[in-house]
Amino acid sequence: MSVPAISTSVGSFYLSRSQCRSSSRGLPRRSLMAIRSGAVSVAPILTNLQKDCATPFPVLRHVADAMATDMRNGLAIDGGSDLKMILSYVDTLPTGNEKGLFYALDLGGTNFRVLRVQLGGKEERVIDTEFEQVSIPQDLMFGTSEQLFDFMASGLAKFSQKEGGKFHLPSGRTREIGFTFSFPVRQLSIDSGILMKWTKGFAVSGTPGKDIVACLNEAMGRLGLEMRVSALVNDAVGTLAGARYWDDDVMVAVILGTGTNACYVERTDAIPKQKGQVSSSGRTIINTEWGAFSSGLPLTVYDNEMDAASINPGEQIFEKTISGMYLGEIVRRVLLKMAQAGDLFGKSVPEKLFSPFILRTPDLCAMQQDNSDDLQSVGSILYNVAGLETNLSARKIVVEVCDTIVKRGGRLAGAGIVGILQKMEEDSKGLIFGKRTVVAMDGGLYENYPQYRKYLQEAVTELLGTEISRNVVIEHSKDGSGIGAALLAAANSKYPHDI
C-alpha cells in the first residue's frame, strides 16, 4: 500500500449554502433536483451505518476486556478461545551483544525478501545491511512444494554470492538464517514448524503437514548452499525482535497491513498449557493470531454479507473489520447499496461497482487526503475505479462512508492493543503501565493511512487515560520483520557471540 501521508479534514455530510451554490453552477434545474433527492434518499443509509459502526467508550472497553479474557483462555488450553495464543519458542531475544554475519528470508506474500546483516556487538551494533526482493511467478504459487522452495533457495544462493565489502563470515562457521514465514504454522521449536494451510492465494501442493524449515533446508542442500535455519518466526514476532534490539522497552508488536496480527512478551509461568516446558529467560513471545478475535465487535449488514461471501465465513472477524484487505470492500458494499437505493450516482448502477474488492484501501486513503474544494481526486478515483459519476454532494457522502469504516477499524485496533497491555499489566502489577512501554507497529495500513493511525491512538488514550497513555509509546518499526528474523538467528546461534 503506497499513498501520500498528508493530513486532511473530512467533509461533513451536509453542504453549506455557498458550497451548494458553487457546486451547482452550470447545472440545469432538473440536475439540481436529482442531486438533492439523491442525497436525501441515501441519508438513512449513512445514518444507520454510522450508528452501527459507532465505537463509544463502552464498546472499546468491552473489546479490550474481552481481548484480555480470550488471551487468558487461549493460554490455559489449546482451543480455549478464538485466539490461538501460539508458542513461538522465542525464549532468547536479541541483546545487542550479537556479532557476525546473519541472513534472513522473508516470505509473506507474492514476493520474498532476502537480507544479510553484519552485527558488531554492543559498540557497533548493525555495521551494514543489504537486501533484495524477488517476485514469485504465479505458476509457482500453484505448483509443488519442491518447485517453490527450490526457487527461494536459488534466490538466496544468488544473493549470497554477492557477499562482500563489510560482510564477512568467520572461518569454520556455517551461515545461519532466520526464516520469516507468515502463514499458519504449528510451531514445534525455534527452528521447526508444521504448515497448517496455505493462505494469501497460495495453493502449493505437498507442503501442508510438513516441516517448512526442513523443506527449505532440503532445497538449500539440493543447491549445495551451506546455510542452516536457526530461527523460524512470523512477521509479528520478527517485528518485535527487530524493534527490541534497539529498545528494551518494546513489549508488543502489531502488524496492520493487508492482514493483521499481534504478539507480545509473556512470562512462561503465565502459560498453563506449556506443561512444564522450561525457558532459560523465564519469558517467551506469544503469537496471539488476534485476527480471529470476534467478541462484541460492532458489525453491520455489510460486514456480515462480506463474511458470508468470503473463503472463510465465520472466521477472522477482527481481521475483516480492521485490516487493509477488507476496508475497501466494506465501503464498496455500502456504495453499492446507496447506488441501488437512490440516484446519488446517477440513474443506473455501473457494472464495475458489483465487482468484489475492486475498491481497495489505498483508494480510500487517497480520497481522504483530498483537501480540494471540489474533491476532484475523490471524483476521479470513483470514476476510474468503480465507474461512478459524482457531484460534490455525492463525493462528500463517499468520504463520510470511508471515514466511518476507517474510524471503526482504527479504534477497534487501538482497543485490541489496550487489551493486550491490560492482560500484561494484571499479571505484572505495575510493570507495564507504571513505566515506559513500547508497542512496535508495522504494515502498510498503519504506515500510510494517517487517519487510521490517528483513530487508533485516540482510542488508546481514551481507554488508558491521559496519564497512563503517556507511558505507552506506539512506534512505527518499518520493515522490522526481516531484520528481526536475522537478529533472532543471531540470538539463537549455535556459535558464541564473542567472536
Side-chain angles (χ1 to χ4, degrees), residues 224-237:
L225 180 60
E226 291 190 11
M227 283 193 186
R228 65 174 288 272
V229 176
S230 56
L232 170 67
V233 299
N234 71 7
D235 50 359
V237 174

Side-chain angles (χ1 to χ4, degrees), residues 18 168 223 248 257 282 289 311 390:
S18 62
H168 58 89
L223 287 176
D248 288 339
E289 290 292 337
I311 60 172
T390 57

Side-chain angles (χ1 to χ4, degrees), residues 395-411:
R395 293 169 196 171
K396 282 182 168 287
I397 291 170
V398 170
V399 173
E400 287 278 5
V401 172
C402 294
D403 189 61
T404 300
I405 299 303
V406 168
K407 182 176 184 177
R408 179 187 65 169
R411 284 173 66 81

Side-chain angles (χ1 to χ4, degrees), residues 271-311:
I271 312 173
K273 70 179 180 183
Q274 200 169 16
K275 294 175 183 172
Q277 294 182 33
V278 179
S279 162
S280 57
S281 65
R283 63 190 179 185
T284 189
I285 297 178
I286 294 292
N287 167 21
T288 67
E289 290 292 337
W290 81 348
F293 176 76
S294 62
S295 179
L297 301 176
L299 302 177
T300 69
V301 62
Y302 311 103
D303 298 297
N304 295 332
E305 289 172 352
M306 181 183 71
D307 176 51
S310 71
I311 60 172

Side-chain angles (χ1 to χ4, degrees), residues 89-95 98 279-281 283 487-488 491-492 497:
Y89 293 89
V90 175
D91 302 333
T92 305
L93 285 162
T95 62
E98 295 81 12
S279 162
S280 57
S281 65
R283 63 190 179 185
L487 290 167
L488 283 170
N492 291 277
H497 293 156

Side-chain angles (χ1 to χ4, degrees), residues 325-360:
M325 181 172 179
Y326 300 99
L327 299 180
E329 172 61 5
I330 300 167
V331 170
R332 181 197 69 84
R333 288 175 177 270
V334 177
L335 299 187
L336 178 59
K337 174 75 169 177
M338 289 181 164
Q340 292 170 327
D343 51 8
L344 183 67
F345 304 121
K347 296 295 183 185
S348 61
V349 182
E351 196 65 33
K352 280 183 175 181
L353 196 56
F354 287 93
S355 301
F357 293 94
I358 194 168
L359 191 65
R360 302 172 307 121

Side-chain angles (χ1 to χ4, degrees), residues 178-414:
F179 187 13
T180 303
F181 188 81
S182 299
F183 297 87
V185 166
R186 182 166 60 88
Q187 195 106 11
L188 303 176
S189 67
I190 185 62
D191 58 0
S192 64
I194 303 298
L195 175 65
M196 297 162 71
K197 63 178 179 180
W198 287 107
T199 56
K200 305 179 186 179
F202 281 74
V204 179
S205 63
T207 324
K210 287 191 175 179
D211 180 356
I212 53 166
V213 171
C215 291
L216 181 58
N217 282 333
E218 288 164 9
M220 292 191 294
R222 285 191 289 271
L223 287 176
L225 180 60
E226 291 190 11
M227 283 193 186
R228 65 174 288 272
V229 176
S230 56
L232 170 67
V233 299
N234 71 7
D235 50 359
V237 174
T239 296
L240 194 155
R244 195 177 173 99
Y245 180 74
W246 299 103
D247 190 339
D248 288 339
D249 292 335
V250 174
M251 298 296 287
V252 180
V254 176
I255 304 295
L256 282 166
T258 304
T260 184
N261 197 11
C263 68
Y264 70 103
V265 179
E266 181 60 280
R267 291 169 26 209
T268 51
D269 61 2
I271 312 173
K273 70 179 180 183
Q274 200 169 16
K275 294 175 183 172
Q277 294 182 33
V278 179
S279 162
S280 57
S281 65
R283 63 190 179 185
T284 189
I285 297 178
I286 294 292
N287 167 21
T288 67
E289 290 292 337
W290 81 348
F293 176 76
S294 62
S295 179
L297 301 176
L299 302 177
T300 69
V301 62
Y302 311 103
D303 298 297
N304 295 332
E305 289 172 352
M306 181 183 71
D307 176 51
S310 71
I311 60 172
N312 55 347
E315 300 177 10
Q316 300 296 109
I317 303 301
F318 196 47
E319 181 166 78
K320 289 171 180 172
T321 312
I322 72 169
S323 78
M325 181 172 179
Y326 300 99
L327 299 180
E329 172 61 5
I330 300 167
V331 170
R332 181 197 69 84
R333 288 175 177 270
V334 177
L335 299 187
L336 178 59
K337 174 75 169 177
M338 289 181 164
Q340 292 170 327
D343 51 8
L344 183 67
F345 304 121
K347 296 295 183 185
S348 61
V349 182
E351 196 65 33
K352 280 183 175 181
L353 196 56
F354 287 93
S355 301
F357 293 94
I358 194 168
L359 191 65
R360 302 172 307 121
T361 299
D363 298 324
L364 310 191
C365 184
M367 287 192 284
Q368 282 204 268
Q369 311 319 310
D370 187 353
N371 287 319
S372 65
D373 290 339
D374 60 355
L375 296 178
Q376 186 176 359
S377 294
V378 174
S380 297
I381 290 167
L382 291 171
Y383 182 74
N384 293 332
V385 174
L388 291 173
E389 295 198 24
T390 57
N391 50 61
L392 182 57
S393 173
R395 293 169 196 171
K396 282 182 168 287
I397 291 170
V398 170
V399 173
E400 287 278 5
V401 172
C402 294
D403 189 61
T404 300
I405 299 303
V406 168
K407 182 176 184 177
R408 179 187 65 169
R411 284 173 66 81
L412 290 176

